[in-house]
């Protein structure tokens, strides 16, 4: 009668049933399967579809490939299973029935169904003879990798096992629209070729069922000639005679009456309701459960349910009460729906979900059990669960409203999962074609951050999980990834691993070439560099990541052993970037505000913005410009004191660069390493984004770029280092070397200087948070 995916008949034993006027007799199972589809063993309770069954049988006598196409709710699955298979079995001895849904992996689903059916249905000796072929197929199924090669191996093993089985088979590819919605075009084409191989057997019948919206796709897939020969268009049940048989037949088989008034009402409601057949099926199941001992199925009971349009709501009442009584189930319901429903071409559709991950969430597992008991869920195979019928998407208010609210996220989620599977296949294919080589085909299919990020945010929304702020990144997409990474299955987890994280991981290897580091910095800038400390905060002010520095003491090079104490302070991880510096230049109270220029020479205009990518260090910044920036930022942050934002002293800078008491020659251990700094030897010929040489820092998570990229202003005078006061024209100290310089100038102890009012293309600055020295 209905008309969703076949599920094991729930066999729900209900109240004892009695013929009118008699005492209750033995309990019986409900003869109406509700939203679940009929199976072959239920054919004696399958009424009203004789003409359609005979029409398909007649077509099977002409061609062994049939495509049963009809709208949702026309009972396609039930018709084949309970109407066609038993009749065909009367004509063909020992006919076996094998059903599967493609679910995006048609080769795998066919192989799994074949293994289970063959090994479960054969007697001992026959089963043993097929054991090697079945074992081979099961070994292939155990490999989670999907690729064209695996598809071909599964196809060959399935054909081999079918050949050894040696029995006539009706193979039902149910919900074959999965081939066009959940399967890649390449995989769908390969499956089309497999179907042709299967049909080479004279005793194999292949039946496809799919929704009429996909008729054009089926035509393209089969080709016009085969499409026309195979097509059986299935119309909705409309005739009063058919509907009466569907309504009264199953109950009548057990001697249970159905009131004529109820029959007339249901027939009338059917003509006024689109996709009424599954609603009638659910109504009859509920009515049989609530039947009157004497009168059977009654109009009064139907009216108490609220009629055909309200039957899903009525059937879901127990589920709704359960959710209302336990608030944590509300969120669990959303997580479950995210696995059972999707949106394709702006239309909600059901999909099969692996039962194992659902069970891992206790509350979701409870809902699965409750929905199964209610008949809202069915099992397409041993490993999956799905909505019993698509009519639930439109008639269960909770599910309908949820799909409408999360339509965009569901669509993005579905697209990401499809793309991930195709990418995984390309990775496997590239690995076979050129082991150890870069997977160029897979790279073409890999999503960029611009596509990954919305998909991650959609998945986070569907998960209903909070995303705490990330200490290292300020990007909501990466925050979503941190929450989801342990919950996403393969290949989605690998496919959606954020591009920024992959790029930054490349940097942590000396083998990364300088030009590649430059490319990574530019790409990070293009996507909006997500690292904290590189850009600005939500309030538009520079966001600084501070590194705590302990106390110590430093001897300055060439000063006759002059010793300078270092008190504890905090230093910015990165040099001030163009995005941060531009916040000062563009603020109404910024560069042009005279308050910040006390005892400083203010030029009319800021310096030239060369290589002004937002995550690159600001250059053409004079010492006076840098001091004014520090004063402005201290004021805007409203620091209570005694700490203030200022330039570092030389001894503070060197204490960090030499790794404290280790007194390193360069910030990293050992001697010069050309892979760890943007100096003259890099060949870049200009600045790079900050932080492109993480191994060049004094330690993991420490201050970056203390060698190369840009010289950095220090607070003190060069010739009189002890003088840290503001004012005067004496040269100020520079540290670190730049993109122009050779290794000798990139040493931690190397000192240099420049006039405080001058600017240059290789000079920038970083800041510290420490006691004021003005």
């Amino acid at each position: 009668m209905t008309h969703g995916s076949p599920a094991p008949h729930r066999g729900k034993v209900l109240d004892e049933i009695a013929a009118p006027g008699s005492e209750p007799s033995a309990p019986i199972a409900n003869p109406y399967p509700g939203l679940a589809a009929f199976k072959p063993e239920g054919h004696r309770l399958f009424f009203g579809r004789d003409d359609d069954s005979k029409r398909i049988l007649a077509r099977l006598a002409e061609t062994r490939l049939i495509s049963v196409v009809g709208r949702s709710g026309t009972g396609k699955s039930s018709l084949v299973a309970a109407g066609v298979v038993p009749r065909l079995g009367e004509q063909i001895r020992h006919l076996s029935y094998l059903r599967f849904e493609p679910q995006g992996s048609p080769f795998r689903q066919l192989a799994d169904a074949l293994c289970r059916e063959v090994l479960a249905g054969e007697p001992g000796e026959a089963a043993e003879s097929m054991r090697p072929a079945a074992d081979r197929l099961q070994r292939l199924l155990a490999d989670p990798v999907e690729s064209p090669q695996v598809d071909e191996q599964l196809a060959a093993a399935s054909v081999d096992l079918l050949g050894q089985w040696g029995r006539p088979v009706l193979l039902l590819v149910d919900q074959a629209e999965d081939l066009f919605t959940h399967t890649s075009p390449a995989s769908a084409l390969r499956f089309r070729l497999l179907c042709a191989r299967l049909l080479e057997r004279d005793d194999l019948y292949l039946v496809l069922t799919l929704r009429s919206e996909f008729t054009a796709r089926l035509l393209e897939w089969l080709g016009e000639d085969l499409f026309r020969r195979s097509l059986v268009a299935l119309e909705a049940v409309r005739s009063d005679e058919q509907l009466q048989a569907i309504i009264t037949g199953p109950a009548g088989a057990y001697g249970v009456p159905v009131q004529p008034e109820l029959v007339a009402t249901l027939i009338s409601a059917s003509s006024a309701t689109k996709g009424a057949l599954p609603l009638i099926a659910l109504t009859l199941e509920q009515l049989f459960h609530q039947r009157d001992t004497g009168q059977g199925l009654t109009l009064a009971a139907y009216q108490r349910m609220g009629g055909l349009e309200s039957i899903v709501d009525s059937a879901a009442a127990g589920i709704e009460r359960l959710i209302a009584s336990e608030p944590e189930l509300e969120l669990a319901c959303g997580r479950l729906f995210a696995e059972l429903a999707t949106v394709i071409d702006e239309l909600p559709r059901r999909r099969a979900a692996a039962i194992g991950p659902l069970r891992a969430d206790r509350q979701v597992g409870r809902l699965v059990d409750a929905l199964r008991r209610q008949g809202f869920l069915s099992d397409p195979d041993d490993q999956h669960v799905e909505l019993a019928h698509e009519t639930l998407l439109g008639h269960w208010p909770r599910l309908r409203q949820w799909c409408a609210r999360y339509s965009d996220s569901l669509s993005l989620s579905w697209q990401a999962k499809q793309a991930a599977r195709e990418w995984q296949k390309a990775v496997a294919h590239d690995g076979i074609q050129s082991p150890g080589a870069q997977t160029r085909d897979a790279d073409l299919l890999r999503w960029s951050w611009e596509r990954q990020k919305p998909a991650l945010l959609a998945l986070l929304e569907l998960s209903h999980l909070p995303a705490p702020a990330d200490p290292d990144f300020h990007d909501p997409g990466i925050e979503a990834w941190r929450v989801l990474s342990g919950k996403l299955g393969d290949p989605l987890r690998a496919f959606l691993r954020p591009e920024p994280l992959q790029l930054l991981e490349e940097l942590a290897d000396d083998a990364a070439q300088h030009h590649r580091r430059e490319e990574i910095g530019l790409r990070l800038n293009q996507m909006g560099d997500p690292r904290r400390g590189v850009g600005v905060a939500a309030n538009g002010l520079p966001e600084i990541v501070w590194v705590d520095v302990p106390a110590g003491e430093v001897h300055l090079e060439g000063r006759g052993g002059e010793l300078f104490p270092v008190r504890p302070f905090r230093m910015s991880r990165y040099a001030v970037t163009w995005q941060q510096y531009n916040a000062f230049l563009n603020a109404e109270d910024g560069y042009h505000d005279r308050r910040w220029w006390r005892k400083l020479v203010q030029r009319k205009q800021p310096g030239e913005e060369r290589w002004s990518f937002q995550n690159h260090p600001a250059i053409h910044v004079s010492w006076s410009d840098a001091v004014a920036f520090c004063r402005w930022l201290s004021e805007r942050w409203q620091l209570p004191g005694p700490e203030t934002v200022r330039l570092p002293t030389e001894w503070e800078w060197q204490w960090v660069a030499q790794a404290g008491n280790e007194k390193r020659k360069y910030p990293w251990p050992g001697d010069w390493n050309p892979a760890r700094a943007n100096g003259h030897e890099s060949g870049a010929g200009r600045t790079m984004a900050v932080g492109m040489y993480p191994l060049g820092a004094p330690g993991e998570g420490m201050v970056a770029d203390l060698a190369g990229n840009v010289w950095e202003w220090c607070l003190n005078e060069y010739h009189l280092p002890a003088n840290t006061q503001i004012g005067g024209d004496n040269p100020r100290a520079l540290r670190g070397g730049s993109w122009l310089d050779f290794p000798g100038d990139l040493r931690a102890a190397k000192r240099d200087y420049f006039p405080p009012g001058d600017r240059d293309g290789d000079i920038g600055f970083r800041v510290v948070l420490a006691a004021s020295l003005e």
Side-chain angles (χ1 to χ4, degrees):
M1 165 159 346
T2 124
H3 313 272
S5 304
H9 191 64
R10 285 171 299 162
K12 180 164 53 179
V13 176
L14 304 169
D15 310 337
E16 291 187 342
I17 178 171
S22 67
E23 293 298 320
S25 60
I28 61 171
N30 196 321
Y32 297 98
L35 294 175
F38 275 95
K39 299 178 72 175
E41 53 266 34
H43 72 280
R44 298 184 187 283
L45 299 172
F46 185 70
F47 292 87
R49 309 302 296 272
D50 288 351
D51 290 344
D52 289 325
S53 300
K54 291 174 182 177
R55 184 158 56 101
I56 294 177
L57 281 171
R59 185 64 66 85
L60 282 172
E62 301 170 0
T63 175
R64 288 179 290 104
L65 171 63
I66 295 294
S67 304
V68 181
V69 179
R71 297 183 65 85
S72 177
T74 52
K76 300 178 291 293
S77 302
S78 292
L79 176 62
V80 174
V84 174
V85 171
R87 285 178 168 85
L88 188 62
E90 293 173 358
Q91 302 173 12
I92 302 174
R93 294 185 61 193
H94 306 300
L95 178 73
S96 292
Y97 168 63
L98 191 64
R99 174 200 169 273
F100 74 97
E101 298 172 13
Q103 297 181 26
S105 300
F107 295 91
R108 189 172 294 273
Q109 296 301 325
L110 169 60
D112 182 60
L114 182 58
C115 272
R116 286 186 283 108
E117 184 68 21
V118 168
L119 296 180
E122 288 297 322
E125 185 175 338
E128 285 304 313
S129 68
M130 292 184 289
R131 177 64 64 180
D135 287 346
R136 178 190 174 208
L137 198 52
Q138 287 179 320
R139 284 195 299 272
L140 290 170
L141 286 169
D143 184 355
V145 174
E146 294 189 31
S147 70
Q149 290 73 25
V150 172
D151 284 353
E152 183 56 37
Q153 291 170 357
L154 286 167
S158 296
V159 170
D160 182 37
L161 184 55
L162 272 170
Q164 294 192 34
W165 199 16
R167 298 181 61 172
V169 178
L170 186 144
L171 177 61
L172 172 60
V173 185
D174 206 4
Q175 297 186 47
E177 60 265 23
D178 285 354
L179 294 169
F180 315 125
T181 60
H182 290 74
T183 308
S184 71
S187 185
L189 178 59
R190 290 194 298 273
F191 189 72
R192 166 69 182 83
L193 298 176
L194 172 60
C195 290
R197 289 170 62 185
L198 293 174
L199 287 168
E200 291 174 1
R201 287 187 47 170
D202 293 336
D203 59 352
L204 186 138
Y205 299 86
L206 182 61
V207 179
L208 312 175
T209 63
L210 71 162
R211 291 169 51 161
S212 53
E213 301 98 298
F214 298 93
T215 304
R217 302 286 295 274
L218 179 67
L219 168 62
E220 180 183 357
W221 188 69
L222 286 178
E224 184 173 357
D225 289 344
L226 196 54
F227 169 79
R228 293 190 183 281
R229 288 200 304 271
S230 72
L231 180 64
V232 175
L234 190 63
E235 299 296 331
V237 175
R238 293 295 184 191
S239 78
D240 291 358
E241 183 181 356
Q242 283 182 290
L243 287 169
Q244 181 167 347
I246 288 171
I247 294 167
T248 62
Y254 289 100
V256 177
V258 181
Q259 279 188 345
E261 298 86 350
L262 173 63
V263 175
T265 300
L266 285 174
I267 290 174
S268 175
S270 173
S271 63
T273 305
K274 183 178 178 180
L277 199 57
L279 297 177
I280 289 175
L282 181 60
T283 299
L284 291 168
E285 181 200 39
Q286 297 292 304
L287 285 170
F288 193 87
H289 180 59
Q290 300 178 31
R291 68 194 180 282
D292 182 88
T293 303
Q295 300 182 71
L297 279 60
T298 66
L299 177 62
Y302 172 76
Q303 291 172 336
R304 286 196 299 270
M305 292 177 184
L308 203 60
E309 285 291 346
S310 301
I311 186 57
V312 174
D313 210 358
S314 175
I319 302 294
E320 295 295 344
R321 285 194 297 271
L322 176 64
I323 294 172
S325 67
E326 300 186 44
E328 64 270 21
L329 290 179
E330 186 82 34
L331 292 178
C333 196
R335 294 195 291 274
L336 176 59
F337 286 171
E339 298 301 319
L340 297 175
T342 188
V343 170
I344 303 173
D345 297 334
E346 300 182 359
L347 292 175
R349 302 195 188 279
R350 60 178 172 161
R351 67 187 187 92
I355 190 63
L358 296 180
R359 290 283 184 211
D361 185 321
R362 177 178 172 272
Q363 299 300 342
V364 170
R366 291 179 60 207
L367 281 173
V368 167
D369 291 337
L371 290 170
R372 264 182 170 153
R373 288 192 298 269
Q374 190 56 45
F376 280 18
L377 293 185
S378 61
D379 306 290
D381 55 53
D382 292 343
Q383 288 82 39
H384 295 83
V385 66
E386 66 183 2
L387 292 170
H389 199 279
E390 286 195 335
T391 196
L392 290 170
L393 293 165
H395 288 85
W396 184 7
R398 175 180 291 275
L399 181 55
R400 182 183 67 245
Q401 293 161 12
W402 185 88
C403 287
R405 177 178 177 182
Y406 295 105
S407 176
D408 291 343
S409 292
L410 286 166
S411 181
L412 277 172
S413 170
W414 173 78
Q415 292 172 34
K417 291 171 182 176
Q418 292 300 102
R421 295 185 61 219
E422 289 310 299
W423 170 79
Q424 183 190 48
K425 290 180 180 179
V427 169
H429 178 263
D430 288 345
I432 292 172
Q433 295 295 105
S434 52
Q438 185 177 7
T439 57
R440 288 172 294 178
D441 289 347
D443 287 344
L444 292 174
L445 293 174
R446 186 105 196 209
W447 279 6
S448 67
W449 184 232
E450 287 79 2
R451 295 196 72 184
Q452 287 179 321
K453 182 174 177 176
L456 284 167
L457 294 176
L459 288 165
L460 180 67
E461 183 181 40
L462 293 173
S463 75
H464 300 282
L465 296 172
D470 191 294
D472 300 315
F473 301 94
H474 57 69
D475 191 291
I478 294 179
E479 291 172 358
W481 165 256
R482 299 289 199 205
V483 174
L484 296 170
S485 59
K487 305 179 186 302
L488 298 177
D490 291 329
L492 194 60
R493 179 171 53 248
F495 181 70
L496 288 181
R497 187 168 185 273
E499 183 189 358
L501 299 185
Q502 296 180 65
L503 294 176
L504 292 169
E505 188 176 275
E506 276 191 62
L507 300 174
D509 188 338
D510 283 338
Q513 299 296 308
H514 296 288
H515 70 85
R516 177 57 179 160
R517 295 178 187 273
E518 185 176 24
E519 290 173 356
I520 289 173
L522 291 171
R523 175 63 182 133
L524 289 170
N525 179 75
Q526 182 184 43
M527 66 180 72
D529 200 318
R531 294 173 293 166
R532 292 194 181 277
V534 173
V536 297
N539 60 6
L541 295 177
E543 179 190 54
I544 307 295
V545 170
W546 300 109
V547 176
D548 291 319
V549 181
E553 56 184 15
V554 168
H555 290 273
L556 293 187
E557 189 172 76
R559 295 299 303 171
E562 190 172 357
L563 184 67
F564 288 86
V566 177
R567 295 183 176 85
F569 69 100
R570 290 190 281 176
M571 177 176 275
S572 63
R573 176 170 294 170
Y574 306 111
V576 172
T577 64
W578 273 117
Q579 186 177 15
Q580 294 168 336
Y581 189 58
N582 277 324
F584 168 62
L585 299 183
N586 298 328
E588 290 185 9
D589 64 344
Y591 182 86
H592 295 286
D593 193 316
R594 284 296 306 161
R595 284 180 294 167
W596 321 127
W597 299 92
R598 179 174 50 86
K599 296 184 181 181
L600 298 172
V601 176
Q602 179 187 17
R603 293 196 191 182
K604 188 173 183 180
Q605 295 298 330
E608 176 188 355
E609 293 191 27
R610 182 181 298 179
W611 309 318
S612 54
F613 304 104
Q614 294 195 26
N615 61 356
H616 282 47
I619 55 175
H620 289 289
V621 178
S622 71
W623 182 85
S624 297
D625 295 337
V627 171
F629 172 91
C630 292
R631 288 172 169 175
W632 168 78
L633 189 56
S634 295
E635 177 68 22
R636 291 298 300 272
W637 278 355
Q638 298 181 335
L639 295 174
E643 291 185 323
T644 188
V645 179
R646 60 170 172 82
L647 296 176
T649 63
E650 275 194 272
W651 45 96
E652 289 170 335
W653 193 99
Q654 183 173 326
W655 178 247
V656 178
Q658 71 180 30
N661 287 323
E662 293 187 39
K663 298 181 181 179
R664 295 176 183 172
K665 186 176 182 180
Y666 297 98
W668 54 86
D671 210 335
W672 170 249
N673 186 335
R676 297 192 174 183
N678 177 27
H680 185 274
E681 293 182 0
S682 75
R686 65 175 184 177
T687 61
M688 289 189 194
V690 298
M692 293 297 98
Y693 295 85
L695 294 181
E700 185 177 355
M702 288 289 289
V703 181
D705 304 323
L706 292 169
N709 218 22
V710 292
W711 286 98
E712 298 179 3
W713 285 115
C714 289
L715 185 63
N716 57 283
E717 290 186 10
Y718 175 78
H719 296 293
L720 295 173
N723 183 16
T724 59
Q725 296 303 301
I726 307 300
D729 296 326
N730 292 331
R732 297 286 169 161
L734 291 171
R735 285 304 191 102
S738 77
W739 56 270
L740 274 170
D741 297 298
F742 291 92
D745 287 332
L746 274 60
R747 294 179 295 109
K750 172 65 179 178
R751 305 181 68 226
D752 210 334
Y753 60 90
F754 212 64
D758 288 0
R759 297 163 173 158
D760 207 346
D762 64 343
I763 298 177
F765 70 107
R766 77 175 68 233
V767 295
V768 299
L769 191 62
S772 174
L773 298 178
E774 291 190 42

